[in-house]
Amino acid sequence: MVCTVTTTPFTIGIIQDAATPDTAANIARADVLVRRAASQGAQIICLKELFQAPYFCKVPQADRFDLAEPIPGPTTDHMCALARELGVVLVVPLFERQAAGVYRNSAAVIDADGSLLGVYRKMHIPDDPLFHEKYYFVPGDAHPAAAGPDAAGGFRVWKTRFATIGVLICWDQWYPEAARITSLLGAQVLFYPTAIGWHPAEREEWGRAQVDAWRTAQRAHAIANGVYVAAPNRVGHEPEPGTDGITFFGHSFIADPFGRYVAEAGEDEAVLVARCDPGLIETVRRNWPFLRDRRIDAYGPILSRYLGT
Amino acid sequence: MVCTVTTTPFTIGIIQDAATPDTAANIARADVLVRRAASQGAQIICLKELFQAPYFCKVPQADRFDLAEPIPGPTTDHMCALARELGVVLVVPLFERQAAGVYRNSAAVIDADGSLLGVYRKMHIPDDPLFHEKYYFVPGDAHPAAAGPDAAGGFRVWKTRFATIGVLICWDQWYPEAARITSLLGAQVLFYPTAIGWHPAEREEWGRAQVDAWRTAQRAHAIANGVYVAAPNRVGHEPEPGTDGITFFGHSFIADPFGRYVAEAGEDEAVLVARCDPGLIETVRRNWPFLRDRRIDAYGPILSRYLGT
């Protein structure tokens, strides 16, 4: 493993797909799509949030904890072998069983030699109708044990063979603080594996605005920090008895450090691949040098929940 | 002055215009445009950055400090009288002379009874070719004297007759930290008076992307914080001997708390007016409740300049 920040261009890929209740089939499909991305030149490939299962958080139901598995475990074993075979870095988001009663919304980061580099554990946990994540997931720790020098406040980067990458998960994408800290750690790309969709009853009124807000918030992270952003989302309608289910809206994308789309998907299964140039990060950060002028002496109040009188 | 956070809808206006070397003419034009905004129902009206002068920072030149004036001073006296006459709140950005050698890029906030509520002093100061702001401006203080309970880290809100507003200035718009802290103080609207433009030589390659990045970054502040954002920019080409000058690109806009455009300008003089509904702030923050889930226990590293190894 070559552990240096690279200045050589590298190629990333993200996988937008659906999931069924058949875990083995989900993994098999991901395997095919990862191979497709690799065949298109992708060197770092990221799957969607909780990739190998339906989005099970639609209702709180204790037997669904059975979907969790350890890291390392059967799914990461499969993906480590795949990474080694193809010589690619993989970001593998899945439901992690860390211990009895300690379940996480996590992403394993696997280097191109098949070694497990580490795990990011989702820091911001939502809880909304049909998204009962606070029931299922322990939030990532602000002070994870043994996180090492490439971590701060629970946020992390990994120096992979091809680039230094940060991983954040879904709801994290609404928090500029997460993007900022991960970028300051040296990330060249922020990956945002996601499972966002429409409540069918809301789609007519809010659907377009929700997709646009989702993309705008993340493109802004690219701009504010001068990094690439890559967000693979889930697609497909997933039913849930007693509810209207969720229609995951796709629209995965990759944005450059100036926030420009370099690859975009619609609402169908898709493999997006894009070349990333560390030279463009350097150019953008020189021409609009935001990092130079941060007022770190004045940001202390951001550590408050609310400041209003 | 009624100093309560209102839940009643209110109407804001922003003025996009050019400036000439004739200060009196600049103020007279602003006077006309403020009256026009008020006649269209605007209750809180914000002018562009350094409104009453050309963007003088194109070169560092000591006699240009003569353009600065105290607050209160002749320009704010004029604007206080105008605010009182029309019964509107005014945000008046200008070059402030606080003391000999202490000059600021500031915005006076004037309530609808004509009283001067206070001054915001630009916290993030750029310095780029043709934008020599570090030469002209002392940055806003992280711990301003006598800022009161509606300030934190140099960021401030004002409880005006019609709404609680925050003011940030131009380069501040690239810093999510500034938008966050000002929103946490209770702002319902973030005003971003601006003077951003193209270097004529860059326009062909970067022009469109710069406008889009500028708008995207600010719409993201609206989304992340559930607030209205209103950004009045300068227009017109301003020459500067020995340079190609700057073409200020306009494209002022008002976005709602979901980041949707509710008013937009092109590259000509424009008065934008939009109704703002505190009920929509409440709705947006309930449906995508980002403020609930912030990891204030984990954001400490944001106070570092850089975290990379």
Short mmCIF file of all heavy atoms in Angstrom, two decimals, chain A residues 123-124 127 134 140 153 159 171 174-175 177 180 184 212 219-220 290 292-295 298-299 302 304-305 307-309, chain B residues 123-124 127 134 140 153 159 171 175 177 180 184 212 219-220 288 290 292-295 298-299 302 304-305 307-309:
data_model
loop_
_atom_site.label_atom_id
_atom_site.label_comp_id
_atom_site.label_asym_id
_atom_site.label_seq_id
_atom_site.Cartn_x
_atom_site.Cartn_y
_atom_site.Cartn_z
N MET A 123 -22.20 9.77 11.70
CA MET A 123 -22.21 10.64 12.87
C MET A 123 -23.57 11.28 13.12
O MET A 123 -23.97 11.49 14.27
CB MET A 123 -21.16 11.75 12.67
CG MET A 123 -19.72 11.24 12.72
SD MET A 123 -19.20 10.77 14.39
CE MET A 123 -19.11 12.38 15.19
N HIS A 124 -24.26 11.68 12.05
CA HIS A 124 -25.55 12.36 12.19
C HIS A 124 -26.65 11.37 11.85
O HIS A 124 -26.72 10.89 10.72
CB HIS A 124 -25.64 13.56 11.25
CG HIS A 124 -24.58 14.60 11.51
ND1 HIS A 124 -23.35 14.57 10.88
CD2 HIS A 124 -24.56 15.68 12.33
CE1 HIS A 124 -22.63 15.61 11.31
NE2 HIS A 124 -23.33 16.29 12.19
N ASP A 127 -34.13 10.84 12.17
CA ASP A 127 -35.27 10.09 12.69
C ASP A 127 -36.53 10.80 12.25
O ASP A 127 -36.87 11.86 12.77
CB ASP A 127 -35.22 9.98 14.21
CG ASP A 127 -35.99 8.76 14.70
OD1 ASP A 127 -35.53 7.64 14.44
OD2 ASP A 127 -37.07 8.94 15.30
N LYS A 134 -32.76 6.49 14.46
CA LYS A 134 -32.32 6.57 15.86
C LYS A 134 -32.68 5.29 16.63
O LYS A 134 -32.09 5.01 17.68
CB LYS A 134 -32.92 7.80 16.55
CG LYS A 134 -32.32 9.13 16.05
CD LYS A 134 -32.68 10.28 16.98
CE LYS A 134 -32.44 11.65 16.34
NZ LYS A 134 -31.04 11.95 16.03
N GLY A 140 -21.95 7.50 15.42
CA GLY A 140 -20.50 7.42 15.48
C GLY A 140 -19.96 8.18 16.66
O GLY A 140 -20.52 9.20 17.08
N GLY A 153 -12.73 14.20 15.78
CA GLY A 153 -14.13 14.32 16.16
C GLY A 153 -15.02 13.25 15.56
O GLY A 153 -16.21 13.47 15.35
N LYS A 159 -5.90 7.22 3.51
CA LYS A 159 -4.92 7.36 2.43
C LYS A 159 -4.91 6.05 1.67
O LYS A 159 -4.21 5.10 2.06
CB LYS A 159 -3.54 7.69 3.00
CG LYS A 159 -3.51 9.05 3.70
CD LYS A 159 -2.10 9.43 4.13
CE LYS A 159 -2.04 10.83 4.69
NZ LYS A 159 -2.40 10.92 6.12
N TRP A 171 -27.43 11.46 5.86
CA TRP A 171 -27.83 12.63 6.66
C TRP A 171 -26.64 13.54 7.00
O TRP A 171 -26.81 14.76 7.15
CB TRP A 171 -28.50 12.12 7.94
CG TRP A 171 -29.34 13.08 8.75
CD1 TRP A 171 -29.13 13.43 10.06
CD2 TRP A 171 -30.56 13.74 8.37
NE1 TRP A 171 -30.13 14.28 10.49
CE2 TRP A 171 -31.02 14.48 9.50
CE3 TRP A 171 -31.31 13.79 7.18
CZ2 TRP A 171 -32.19 15.26 9.47
CZ3 TRP A 171 -32.47 14.56 7.16
CH2 TRP A 171 -32.89 15.28 8.28
N TRP A 174 -26.03 17.05 5.19
CA TRP A 174 -26.68 18.33 5.48
C TRP A 174 -25.86 19.17 6.45
O TRP A 174 -26.29 20.28 6.82
CB TRP A 174 -28.08 18.09 6.05
CG TRP A 174 -28.92 17.28 5.12
CD1 TRP A 174 -29.26 15.97 5.27
CD2 TRP A 174 -29.50 17.70 3.89
NE1 TRP A 174 -30.02 15.55 4.20
CE2 TRP A 174 -30.18 16.60 3.34
CE3 TRP A 174 -29.50 18.91 3.17
CZ2 TRP A 174 -30.87 16.66 2.12
CZ3 TRP A 174 -30.18 18.97 1.97
CH2 TRP A 174 -30.85 17.86 1.45
N TYR A 175 -24.72 18.69 6.88
CA TYR A 175 -23.94 19.35 7.92
C TYR A 175 -22.62 19.86 7.36
O TYR A 175 -21.68 19.08 7.17
CB TYR A 175 -23.73 18.39 9.10
CG TYR A 175 -25.07 18.02 9.70
CD1 TYR A 175 -25.82 16.96 9.21
CD2 TYR A 175 -25.62 18.81 10.69
CE1 TYR A 175 -27.08 16.68 9.71
CE2 TYR A 175 -26.89 18.54 11.21
CZ TYR A 175 -27.61 17.48 10.71
OH TYR A 175 -28.87 17.22 11.19
N GLU A 177 -20.36 21.26 8.79
CA GLU A 177 -19.27 20.99 9.75
C GLU A 177 -18.58 19.67 9.41
O GLU A 177 -17.34 19.55 9.52
CB GLU A 177 -19.84 20.92 11.18
CG GLU A 177 -20.43 22.23 11.71
CD GLU A 177 -21.93 22.38 11.46
OE1 GLU A 177 -22.48 21.67 10.57
OE2 GLU A 177 -22.57 23.21 12.15
N ARG A 180 -16.47 20.06 6.29
CA ARG A 180 -15.30 20.91 6.57
C ARG A 180 -14.22 20.12 7.29
O ARG A 180 -13.05 20.13 6.89
CB ARG A 180 -15.73 22.11 7.42
CG ARG A 180 -14.59 23.01 7.82
CD ARG A 180 -14.03 23.78 6.64
NE ARG A 180 -14.67 25.07 6.52
CZ ARG A 180 -14.67 25.81 5.41
NH1 ARG A 180 -14.07 25.38 4.32
NH2 ARG A 180 -15.28 26.98 5.38
N LEU A 184 -10.55 19.24 5.96
CA LEU A 184 -9.34 19.72 6.64
C LEU A 184 -8.40 18.57 6.99
O LEU A 184 -7.18 18.77 7.16
CB LEU A 184 -9.70 20.50 7.91
CG LEU A 184 -10.46 21.82 7.72
CD1 LEU A 184 -10.74 22.47 9.07
CD2 LEU A 184 -9.69 22.79 6.82
N ASP A 212 -33.22 18.85 -5.61
CA ASP A 212 -32.37 20.00 -5.85
C ASP A 212 -31.65 20.42 -4.56
O ASP A 212 -30.46 20.75 -4.58
CB ASP A 212 -33.20 21.16 -6.40
CG ASP A 212 -32.31 22.29 -6.90
OD1 ASP A 212 -31.35 22.01 -7.63
OD2 ASP A 212 -32.57 23.46 -6.54
N ARG A 219 -23.02 19.97 -3.42
CA ARG A 219 -22.15 20.75 -4.33
C ARG A 219 -21.52 21.91 -3.56
O ARG A 219 -20.38 22.29 -3.81
CB ARG A 219 -22.96 21.26 -5.52
CG ARG A 219 -23.36 20.15 -6.49
CD ARG A 219 -24.30 20.69 -7.55
NE ARG A 219 -23.69 21.80 -8.26
CZ ARG A 219 -24.34 22.92 -8.62
NH1 ARG A 219 -25.63 23.07 -8.35
NH2 ARG A 219 -23.69 23.87 -9.26
N ALA A 220 -22.26 22.46 -2.62
CA ALA A 220 -21.70 23.56 -1.81
C ALA A 220 -20.54 23.07 -0.96
O ALA A 220 -19.59 23.83 -0.70
CB ALA A 220 -22.79 24.19 -0.94
N PHE A 290 -10.37 30.17 -0.11
CA PHE A 290 -11.22 30.26 1.08
C PHE A 290 -10.52 29.75 2.34
O PHE A 290 -10.74 30.27 3.43
CB PHE A 290 -12.51 29.46 0.89
CG PHE A 290 -13.27 29.80 -0.36
CD1 PHE A 290 -13.92 28.80 -1.08
CD2 PHE A 290 -13.35 31.11 -0.81
CE1 PHE A 290 -14.64 29.11 -2.23
CE2 PHE A 290 -14.06 31.42 -1.97
CZ PHE A 290 -14.71 30.40 -2.69
N ARG A 292 -7.60 30.02 3.29
CA ARG A 292 -6.66 30.99 3.84
C ARG A 292 -7.32 31.90 4.88
O ARG A 292 -6.68 32.31 5.85
CB ARG A 292 -6.13 31.86 2.69
CG ARG A 292 -5.11 32.91 3.10
CD ARG A 292 -4.85 33.87 1.94
NE ARG A 292 -6.08 34.58 1.54
CZ ARG A 292 -6.24 35.24 0.41
NH1 ARG A 292 -5.26 35.29 -0.47
NH2 ARG A 292 -7.38 35.84 0.13
N ASP A 293 -8.59 32.21 4.67
CA ASP A 293 -9.20 33.33 5.40
C ASP A 293 -10.21 32.90 6.46
O ASP A 293 -10.98 33.73 6.94
CB ASP A 293 -9.87 34.28 4.39
CG ASP A 293 -8.86 34.89 3.43
OD1 ASP A 293 -7.71 35.11 3.84
OD2 ASP A 293 -9.23 35.10 2.25
N ARG A 294 -10.23 31.63 6.81
CA ARG A 294 -11.17 31.19 7.84
C ARG A 294 -10.88 31.90 9.16
O ARG A 294 -9.73 32.11 9.53
CB ARG A 294 -11.10 29.66 8.03
CG ARG A 294 -11.59 28.91 6.80
CD ARG A 294 -11.48 27.40 7.00
NE ARG A 294 -12.39 26.96 8.04
CZ ARG A 294 -12.02 26.28 9.12
NH1 ARG A 294 -10.75 25.96 9.31
NH2 ARG A 294 -12.91 25.94 10.02
N ARG A 295 -11.96 32.25 9.90
CA ARG A 295 -11.81 32.97 11.16
C ARG A 295 -11.93 31.99 12.32
O ARG A 295 -12.92 31.99 13.06
CB ARG A 295 -12.88 34.07 11.25
CG ARG A 295 -12.64 35.22 10.27
CD ARG A 295 -11.32 35.94 10.56
NE ARG A 295 -11.29 36.41 11.92
CZ ARG A 295 -11.77 37.59 12.34
NH1 ARG A 295 -12.28 38.43 11.46
NH2 ARG A 295 -11.71 37.92 13.61
N ALA A 298 -13.04 32.92 15.66
CA ALA A 298 -14.41 33.42 15.84
C ALA A 298 -15.47 32.33 15.74
O ALA A 298 -16.66 32.61 15.86
CB ALA A 298 -14.71 34.51 14.80
N TYR A 299 -15.04 31.10 15.48
CA TYR A 299 -16.03 30.04 15.22
C TYR A 299 -16.45 29.27 16.47
O TYR A 299 -17.26 28.34 16.38
CB TYR A 299 -15.48 29.04 14.19
CG TYR A 299 -15.23 29.59 12.80
CD1 TYR A 299 -14.36 28.95 11.94
CD2 TYR A 299 -15.87 30.74 12.34
CE1 TYR A 299 -14.12 29.42 10.66
CE2 TYR A 299 -15.63 31.23 11.06
CZ TYR A 299 -14.76 30.56 10.22
OH TYR A 299 -14.53 31.02 8.96
N ILE A 302 -19.99 27.95 17.17
CA ILE A 302 -20.58 26.87 16.37
C ILE A 302 -20.71 25.59 17.20
O ILE A 302 -21.44 24.66 16.82
CB ILE A 302 -19.74 26.64 15.08
CG1 ILE A 302 -20.62 26.13 13.95
CG2 ILE A 302 -18.57 25.70 15.33
CD1 ILE A 302 -19.96 26.19 12.59
N SER A 304 -22.20 25.46 19.93
CA SER A 304 -23.45 25.54 20.70
C SER A 304 -24.61 24.96 19.90
O SER A 304 -24.62 25.00 18.67
CB SER A 304 -23.78 27.00 21.03
OG SER A 304 -22.83 27.52 21.93
N ARG A 305 -25.59 24.46 20.63
CA ARG A 305 -26.80 23.96 19.99
C ARG A 305 -27.61 25.09 19.39
O ARG A 305 -28.14 24.98 18.28
CB ARG A 305 -27.64 23.22 21.05
CG ARG A 305 -28.86 22.53 20.52
CD ARG A 305 -28.56 21.35 19.64
NE ARG A 305 -27.86 20.29 20.35
CZ ARG A 305 -27.18 19.32 19.74
NH1 ARG A 305 -27.14 19.26 18.43
NH2 ARG A 305 -26.55 18.41 20.44
N LEU A 307 -28.03 29.69 19.78
CA LEU A 307 -27.46 30.89 20.39
C LEU A 307 -28.49 31.99 20.59
O LEU A 307 -28.17 33.05 21.10
CB LEU A 307 -26.33 31.43 19.50
CG LEU A 307 -25.12 30.51 19.33
CD1 LEU A 307 -24.32 30.88 18.09
CD2 LEU A 307 -24.23 30.57 20.57
N GLY A 308 -29.71 31.75 20.15
CA GLY A 308 -30.71 32.80 20.18
C GLY A 308 -31.14 33.13 21.60
O GLY A 308 -30.99 32.33 22.52
N THR A 309 -31.66 34.32 21.74
CA THR A 309 -32.09 34.77 23.06
C THR A 309 -33.55 34.35 23.27
O THR A 309 -34.23 33.93 22.36
CB THR A 309 -31.96 36.29 23.17
OG1 THR A 309 -32.58 36.89 22.02
CG2 THR A 309 -30.51 36.68 23.21
N MET B 123 -16.15 39.90 8.49
CA MET B 123 -15.24 39.04 9.24
C MET B 123 -14.18 38.39 8.35
O MET B 123 -13.05 38.19 8.78
CB MET B 123 -16.05 37.95 9.95
CG MET B 123 -16.92 38.46 11.10
SD MET B 123 -15.95 38.97 12.54
CE MET B 123 -15.39 37.36 13.14
N HIS B 124 -14.58 37.97 7.15
CA HIS B 124 -13.65 37.27 6.25
C HIS B 124 -13.21 38.26 5.17
O HIS B 124 -14.04 38.72 4.39
CB HIS B 124 -14.31 36.06 5.61
CG HIS B 124 -14.77 35.04 6.61
ND1 HIS B 124 -16.03 35.07 7.17
CD2 HIS B 124 -14.14 33.97 7.16
CE1 HIS B 124 -16.14 34.05 8.03
NE2 HIS B 124 -15.02 33.36 8.03
N ASP B 127 -8.25 38.72 -0.46
CA ASP B 127 -7.13 39.47 -1.02
C ASP B 127 -6.67 38.74 -2.26
O ASP B 127 -6.03 37.68 -2.18
CB ASP B 127 -5.99 39.60 -0.01
CG ASP B 127 -5.13 40.82 -0.33
OD1 ASP B 127 -5.61 41.95 -0.14
OD2 ASP B 127 -3.99 40.63 -0.79
N LYS B 134 -7.37 43.11 1.98
CA LYS B 134 -6.56 43.06 3.21
C LYS B 134 -5.76 44.34 3.38
O LYS B 134 -5.33 44.66 4.50
CB LYS B 134 -5.65 41.83 3.20
CG LYS B 134 -6.40 40.51 3.38
CD LYS B 134 -5.45 39.36 3.69
CE LYS B 134 -6.09 37.99 3.50
NZ LYS B 134 -7.19 37.70 4.43
N GLY B 140 -13.45 42.21 10.98
CA GLY B 140 -14.33 42.33 12.14
C GLY B 140 -13.74 41.58 13.33
O GLY B 140 -13.07 40.56 13.17
N GLY B 153 -18.94 35.61 18.49
CA GLY B 153 -17.76 35.49 17.64
C GLY B 153 -17.67 36.54 16.55
O GLY B 153 -17.09 36.31 15.51
N LYS B 159 -32.82 42.45 15.91
CA LYS B 159 -34.28 42.32 15.99
C LYS B 159 -34.89 43.62 15.50
O LYS B 159 -35.04 44.57 16.27
CB LYS B 159 -34.69 42.01 17.42
CG LYS B 159 -34.15 40.66 17.92
CD LYS B 159 -34.73 40.30 19.27
CE LYS B 159 -34.33 38.90 19.70
NZ LYS B 159 -33.00 38.85 20.35
N TRP B 171 -17.38 38.05 0.79
CA TRP B 171 -16.49 36.89 1.00
C TRP B 171 -16.97 36.00 2.14
O TRP B 171 -16.75 34.79 2.13
CB TRP B 171 -15.07 37.42 1.26
CG TRP B 171 -13.91 36.47 1.14
CD1 TRP B 171 -13.04 36.13 2.14
CD2 TRP B 171 -13.42 35.79 -0.03
NE1 TRP B 171 -12.06 35.29 1.66
CE2 TRP B 171 -12.27 35.05 0.34
CE3 TRP B 171 -13.86 35.70 -1.36
CZ2 TRP B 171 -11.55 34.26 -0.56
CZ3 TRP B 171 -13.15 34.92 -2.27
CH2 TRP B 171 -12.02 34.22 -1.87
N TYR B 175 -18.23 30.88 3.65
CA TYR B 175 -17.91 30.24 4.92
C TYR B 175 -19.18 29.74 5.61
O TYR B 175 -19.93 30.52 6.20
CB TYR B 175 -17.13 31.24 5.81
CG TYR B 175 -15.83 31.59 5.16
CD1 TYR B 175 -15.75 32.62 4.23
CD2 TYR B 175 -14.71 30.81 5.37
CE1 TYR B 175 -14.56 32.90 3.57
CE2 TYR B 175 -13.51 31.09 4.71
CZ TYR B 175 -13.45 32.13 3.81
OH TYR B 175 -12.28 32.38 3.15
N GLU B 177 -19.49 28.38 8.30
CA GLU B 177 -19.43 28.68 9.73
C GLU B 177 -20.16 30.00 10.04
O GLU B 177 -20.85 30.12 11.06
CB GLU B 177 -17.97 28.78 10.21
CG GLU B 177 -17.17 27.47 10.10
CD GLU B 177 -16.41 27.30 8.78
OE1 GLU B 177 -16.77 27.98 7.77
OE2 GLU B 177 -15.46 26.49 8.76
N ARG B 180 -23.90 29.56 9.71
CA ARG B 180 -24.40 28.74 10.80
C ARG B 180 -24.53 29.55 12.08
O ARG B 180 -25.58 29.55 12.73
CB ARG B 180 -23.47 27.55 11.04
CG ARG B 180 -23.87 26.66 12.18
CD ARG B 180 -25.13 25.88 11.87
NE ARG B 180 -24.80 24.57 11.31
CZ ARG B 180 -25.66 23.82 10.63
NH1 ARG B 180 -26.89 24.22 10.42
NH2 ARG B 180 -25.27 22.65 10.15
N LEU B 184 -27.88 30.45 14.08
CA LEU B 184 -28.12 29.98 15.45
C LEU B 184 -28.44 31.14 16.39
O LEU B 184 -29.08 30.95 17.43
CB LEU B 184 -26.90 29.21 15.98
CG LEU B 184 -26.56 27.89 15.29
CD1 LEU B 184 -25.32 27.26 15.93
CD2 LEU B 184 -27.73 26.91 15.33
N ASP B 212 -22.54 30.41 -10.82
CA ASP B 212 -23.25 29.26 -10.27
C ASP B 212 -22.71 28.87 -8.90
O ASP B 212 -23.47 28.56 -7.98
CB ASP B 212 -23.15 28.08 -11.25
CG ASP B 212 -24.08 26.95 -10.85
OD1 ASP B 212 -25.26 27.23 -10.58
OD2 ASP B 212 -23.63 25.80 -10.81
N ARG B 219 -27.28 29.43 -1.51
CA ARG B 219 -28.52 28.65 -1.39
C ARG B 219 -28.32 27.51 -0.39
O ARG B 219 -29.24 27.14 0.34
CB ARG B 219 -28.94 28.10 -2.76
CG ARG B 219 -29.45 29.18 -3.71
CD ARG B 219 -29.68 28.59 -5.10
NE ARG B 219 -30.59 27.47 -5.04
CZ ARG B 219 -30.46 26.35 -5.76
NH1 ARG B 219 -29.44 26.19 -6.59
NH2 ARG B 219 -31.34 25.38 -5.63
N ALA B 220 -27.12 26.96 -0.36
CA ALA B 220 -26.83 25.89 0.60
C ALA B 220 -26.92 26.40 2.04
O ALA B 220 -27.30 25.65 2.94
CB ALA B 220 -25.47 25.27 0.33
N TRP B 288 -37.29 18.55 7.63
CA TRP B 288 -35.90 18.09 7.54
C TRP B 288 -35.17 18.72 8.71
O TRP B 288 -34.51 19.73 8.57
CB TRP B 288 -35.28 18.47 6.18
CG TRP B 288 -35.68 17.53 5.07
CD1 TRP B 288 -36.58 16.51 5.13
CD2 TRP B 288 -35.18 17.53 3.73
NE1 TRP B 288 -36.66 15.86 3.91
CE2 TRP B 288 -35.82 16.47 3.03
CE3 TRP B 288 -34.25 18.30 3.04
CZ2 TRP B 288 -35.56 16.18 1.69
CZ3 TRP B 288 -34.00 18.00 1.71
CH2 TRP B 288 -34.64 16.96 1.04
N PHE B 290 -32.61 19.39 10.58
CA PHE B 290 -31.15 19.32 10.68
C PHE B 290 -30.63 19.85 12.01
O PHE B 290 -29.64 19.34 12.54
CB PHE B 290 -30.49 20.10 9.54
CG PHE B 290 -30.97 19.74 8.17
CD1 PHE B 290 -31.13 20.71 7.20
CD2 PHE B 290 -31.24 18.42 7.83
CE1 PHE B 290 -31.56 20.39 5.92
CE2 PHE B 290 -31.68 18.09 6.56
CZ PHE B 290 -31.84 19.09 5.60
N ARG B 292 -31.73 19.63 14.88
CA ARG B 292 -31.88 18.67 15.98
C ARG B 292 -30.66 17.77 16.14
O ARG B 292 -30.31 17.36 17.26
CB ARG B 292 -33.11 17.78 15.69
CG ARG B 292 -33.42 16.74 16.75
CD ARG B 292 -34.48 15.76 16.23
NE ARG B 292 -34.00 15.04 15.04
CZ ARG B 292 -34.77 14.35 14.21
NH1 ARG B 292 -36.08 14.28 14.41
NH2 ARG B 292 -34.25 13.73 13.18
N ASP B 293 -30.01 17.44 15.03
CA ASP B 293 -29.05 16.34 15.03
C ASP B 293 -27.59 16.78 14.90
O ASP B 293 -26.71 15.95 14.65
CB ASP B 293 -29.39 15.37 13.88
CG ASP B 293 -30.77 14.75 14.06
OD1 ASP B 293 -31.17 14.54 15.21
OD2 ASP B 293 -31.45 14.50 13.04
N ARG B 294 -27.34 18.06 15.08
CA ARG B 294 -25.94 18.51 15.00
C ARG B 294 -25.10 17.82 16.07
O ARG B 294 -25.54 17.64 17.19
CB ARG B 294 -25.85 20.03 15.13
CG ARG B 294 -26.52 20.77 13.97
CD ARG B 294 -26.43 22.28 14.15
NE ARG B 294 -25.05 22.72 14.10
CZ ARG B 294 -24.44 23.42 15.05
NH1 ARG B 294 -25.10 23.77 16.15
NH2 ARG B 294 -23.18 23.77 14.93
N ARG B 295 -23.84 17.48 15.71
CA ARG B 295 -22.94 16.78 16.64
C ARG B 295 -21.98 17.78 17.26
O ARG B 295 -20.77 17.78 16.97
CB ARG B 295 -22.20 15.67 15.88
CG ARG B 295 -23.08 14.51 15.46
CD ARG B 295 -23.68 13.79 16.66
NE ARG B 295 -22.66 13.36 17.58
CZ ARG B 295 -22.01 12.19 17.49
NH1 ARG B 295 -22.32 11.33 16.55
NH2 ARG B 295 -21.08 11.88 18.37
N ALA B 298 -18.70 16.89 18.52
CA ALA B 298 -17.68 16.38 17.58
C ALA B 298 -17.10 17.47 16.68
O ALA B 298 -16.25 17.18 15.84
CB ALA B 298 -18.28 15.28 16.71
N TYR B 299 -17.57 18.70 16.82
CA TYR B 299 -17.17 19.74 15.88
C TYR B 299 -15.93 20.54 16.32
O TYR B 299 -15.49 21.44 15.61
CB TYR B 299 -18.31 20.73 15.63
CG TYR B 299 -19.54 20.15 14.96
CD1 TYR B 299 -20.77 20.79 15.09
CD2 TYR B 299 -19.48 19.00 14.18
CE1 TYR B 299 -21.91 20.30 14.47
CE2 TYR B 299 -20.62 18.49 13.57
CZ TYR B 299 -21.84 19.15 13.71
OH TYR B 299 -22.96 18.67 13.10
N ILE B 302 -13.16 21.85 14.00
CA ILE B 302 -13.42 22.91 13.01
C ILE B 302 -12.70 24.20 13.41
O ILE B 302 -12.55 25.11 12.59
CB ILE B 302 -14.94 23.12 12.85
CG1 ILE B 302 -15.27 23.59 11.45
CG2 ILE B 302 -15.49 24.06 13.90
CD1 ILE B 302 -16.75 23.51 11.09
N SER B 304 -9.64 24.36 13.98
CA SER B 304 -8.26 24.28 13.49
C SER B 304 -8.16 24.84 12.08
O SER B 304 -9.10 24.77 11.30
CB SER B 304 -7.78 22.82 13.47
OG SER B 304 -7.69 22.32 14.79
N ARG B 305 -6.98 25.34 11.77
CA ARG B 305 -6.72 25.83 10.42
C ARG B 305 -6.66 24.68 9.43
O ARG B 305 -7.18 24.75 8.32
CB ARG B 305 -5.38 26.60 10.42
CG ARG B 305 -5.02 27.27 9.14
CD ARG B 305 -5.91 28.43 8.80
NE ARG B 305 -5.81 29.50 9.77
CZ ARG B 305 -6.72 30.47 9.88
NH1 ARG B 305 -7.76 30.50 9.08
NH2 ARG B 305 -6.58 31.40 10.80
N LEU B 307 -6.03 20.08 9.43
CA LEU B 307 -5.90 18.90 10.28
C LEU B 307 -5.09 17.80 9.62
O LEU B 307 -4.89 16.75 10.22
CB LEU B 307 -7.30 18.36 10.62
CG LEU B 307 -8.21 19.30 11.42
CD1 LEU B 307 -9.67 18.89 11.27
CD2 LEU B 307 -7.81 19.30 12.89
N GLY B 308 -4.66 18.02 8.40
CA GLY B 308 -3.98 16.96 7.67
C GLY B 308 -2.62 16.64 8.25
O GLY B 308 -2.01 17.47 8.94
N THR B 309 -2.19 15.46 7.95
CA THR B 309 -0.88 15.03 8.45
C THR B 309 0.21 15.45 7.47
O THR B 309 -0.07 15.86 6.36
CB THR B 309 -0.86 13.52 8.64
OG1 THR B 309 -1.33 12.90 7.43
CG2 THR B 309 -1.77 13.12 9.77
#
